Amino acid sequence: MKKTPLYERHLALAATMTEFGGWAMPVQYTSVIDEHRNTRTLAGLFDVCHMGEIEVRGPQALELLQWVMSRNLAKQQIGEMKLSAITNEKGGIIDDVTVYKRGDERYMVVTNAATREGDLAWILKAKEARGLDRAAVTDLSDTIGKVDIQGPLAQKILEEIVEGDLAALRFYHAMDSRVAGMPALVSRSGYTGEDGFEVYTEAGRIGEIWDLLMSIGDTHGLKPAGLGARDTLRLEAGMMLFGHEMCQTVTPYEVIYGWITDLDKEFIGRNALKKQKEDGVRKKLVGFEIVDRGIARHGYPVLAGGEKIGEVTSGTFSPTLGKAIGLAFVPVQHKEPGTLLEIEIRNQRAKAKVVPLPFYRRKK
């Protein structure tokens, strides 16, 4: 397994480690519920060095990205982030990524950990097929370290070591800055549903930022948080996980990504997605909550009228809401909020109902 630059720090904190996307990552330090609630109420610090960063630059950088991305990036401003999907010829999701515009003709694509190499190969293949020789594609993943600080006190903690006005930094925007005296990219974004920031710097020095944030944040209640809390936080916020809600046989219209799919531009998979939109989807990702006792987990059958109609993609007990929640694909006739379902949990059927997403939305 690969190890992030923060691996030894996780061991020193007695974290429970696991394999994730080929990386040794912390699941929890104290407990998932403790780290989850601490992030919702104070602040949590996450190691996300396992994610991929691919730089695309040059006169044909935008043309290449427009061809491989479902999102229209034509009007993206320097310093702005855009969520997008990389789709295949059939409209299936190869990955969901964030695209940072770093400068004129300079972009950074942030990928999921397990899809990094596949994304890079796909972009390079598209570049060659289109003859876009003036777009330079570089995998920066091994040279960049990344931590996320999330929660109501994230800004207060981070601003003690960052140059620049964090209060003026808008959601899904980024700024080049210095953090703890070293060059860094800071964006107001995250994967928890809380306010927070993602901090990128040189891989060999990300540990210095981690240590400083842990030290400064201690008086504010900051705690490190592992993959367990990251998963429950993102699920409450209605965010998807690649390999669960998304894969190459699932399209943006079948999940919650229709809004990042622009059929007015040409891109790989456009024709298939145009046809799907015209014909209508047959299945749809929905949120549900358990009405009875029990917790739904990935792969559990979803039933209606006694017949299996789908499977749970993600499920957990929500520490914030105090109830069991989950995501599942169901036929479109079962997608409306209030629709009654059953989830088969260890050979027992628990009543559930479809509810609007997200499950949790922070108060502004």
Side-chain angles (χ1 to χ4, degrees):
M1 286 188 290
K2 299 177 183 178
K3 298 176 182 178
T4 77
L6 303 174
Y7 177 79
E8 296 297 334
R9 287 168 170 82
H10 302 318
L11 297 185
L13 290 165
T16 302
M17 306 295 289
T18 191
E19 186 275 336
F20 182 80
W23 293 80
M25 297 295 293
V27 178
Q28 63 180 41
Y29 302 86
T30 53
S31 74
V32 172
I33 290 179
D34 175 56
E35 293 161 25
H36 177 111
R37 289 176 173 163
N38 200 73
T39 303
R40 285 270 182 259
T41 57
L42 298 171
L45 185 61
F46 300 81
D47 175 6
V48 278
C49 294
H50 61 312
M51 297 184 73
E53 293 87 15
I54 300 169
E55 183 180 70
V56 183
R57 64 192 305 169
Q60 293 179 316
L62 178 59
E63 185 177 350
L64 174 58
L65 291 176
Q66 288 284 69
W67 179 238
V68 298
M69 301 285 174
S70 66
R71 185 82 177 265
N72 194 336
L73 307 176
K75 295 182 180 179
Q76 186 175 10
Q77 300 298 307
I78 295 174
E80 188 177 8
M81 293 172 62
K82 294 282 190 182
L83 177 66
S84 184
I86 299 175
T87 49
N88 60 28
E89 290 89 347
K90 295 182 179 180
I93 301 172
I94 292 173
D95 197 7
D96 65 333
V97 299
T98 50
V99 182
Y100 288 73
K101 187 168 184 179
R102 302 295 311 278
D104 290 327
E105 302 178 352
R106 182 186 173 205
Y107 299 83
M108 182 174 73
V109 179
V110 180
T111 77
N112 285 294
T115 55
R116 163 189 156 188
E117 292 180 358
D119 291 359
L120 177 64
W122 184 261
I123 294 170
L124 288 171
K125 180 182 176 182
K127 172 191 168 180
E128 182 178 356
R130 300 284 284 188
L132 301 176
D133 297 332
R134 293 186 297 158
V137 179
T138 309
D139 185 2
L140 301 178
S141 306
D142 292 336
T143 68
I144 293 177
K146 178 174 180 274
V147 294
D148 289 4
I149 180 168
Q150 301 282 299
L153 299 184
Q155 179 180 314
K156 186 174 184 179
I157 296 167
L158 181 59
E159 63 188 4
E160 293 196 31
I161 60 169
V162 69
E163 294 180 13
D165 186 2
L166 287 182
L169 187 62
R170 291 181 291 160
F171 184 63
Y172 256 56
H173 283 72
M175 65 180 186
D176 285 298
S177 179
R178 298 185 74 85
V179 177
M182 64 191 77
L185 177 69
V186 179
S187 62
R188 191 168 217 132
S189 50
Y191 191 53
T192 63
E194 293 300 326
D195 187 21
F197 303 87
E198 299 180 88
V199 181
Y200 302 80
T201 195
E202 183 183 331
R205 302 197 67 184
I206 193 67
E208 297 173 48
I209 291 178
W210 173 278
D211 292 343
L212 271 173
L213 289 173
M214 286 288 291
S215 176
I216 294 167
D218 185 58
T219 58
H220 299 288
L222 172 74
K223 292 182 179 181
L227 292 180
R230 187 170 170 85
D231 190 53
T232 55
L233 288 161
R234 69 91 189 169
L235 183 52
E236 284 185 349
M239 297 175 176
M240 301 182 294
L241 177 64
F242 193 88
H244 286 236
E245 286 72 46
M246 295 172 288
C247 65
Q248 294 205 32
T249 58
V250 171
T251 74
Y253 289 123
E254 292 169 338
V255 290
I256 56 175
Y257 279 168
W259 67 278
I260 59 170
T261 303
D262 189 345
L263 299 177
D264 291 332
K265 76 177 183 83
E266 293 292 333
F267 64 95
I268 300 171
R270 174 190 176 273
N271 292 340
L273 289 169
K274 184 174 184 292
K275 186 176 189 306
Q276 186 181 53
K277 187 176 183 181
E278 291 170 350
D279 295 345
V281 298
R282 296 181 180 181
K283 65 179 180 179
K284 189 70 178 178
L285 184 72
V286 300
F288 66 85
E289 62 181 43
I290 302 291
V291 178
D292 290 336
R293 294 171 64 95
I295 300 174
R297 300 295 186 189
H298 174 75
Y300 284 12
V302 178
L303 303 98
E307 299 293 326
K308 181 180 176 181
I309 62 167
E311 287 188 350
V312 174
T313 56
S314 294
T316 193
F317 177 81
S318 164
T320 305
L321 306 176
K323 61 181 69 173
I325 60 173
L327 297 171
F329 282 107
V330 298
V332 290
Q333 60 266 35
H334 298 280
K335 72 180 180 66
E336 295 302 322
T339 301
L340 297 180
L341 305 170
E342 289 182 312
I343 311 295
E344 190 172 299
I345 303 174
R346 297 189 181 91
N347 298 318
Q348 298 291 321
R349 294 184 180 181
K351 293 180 181 178
K353 67 176 179 179
V354 177
V355 296
L357 292 173
F359 302 100
Y360 163 85
R361 194 187 302 273
R362 71 180 177 91
K363 295 179 181 179
K364 300 296 178 67

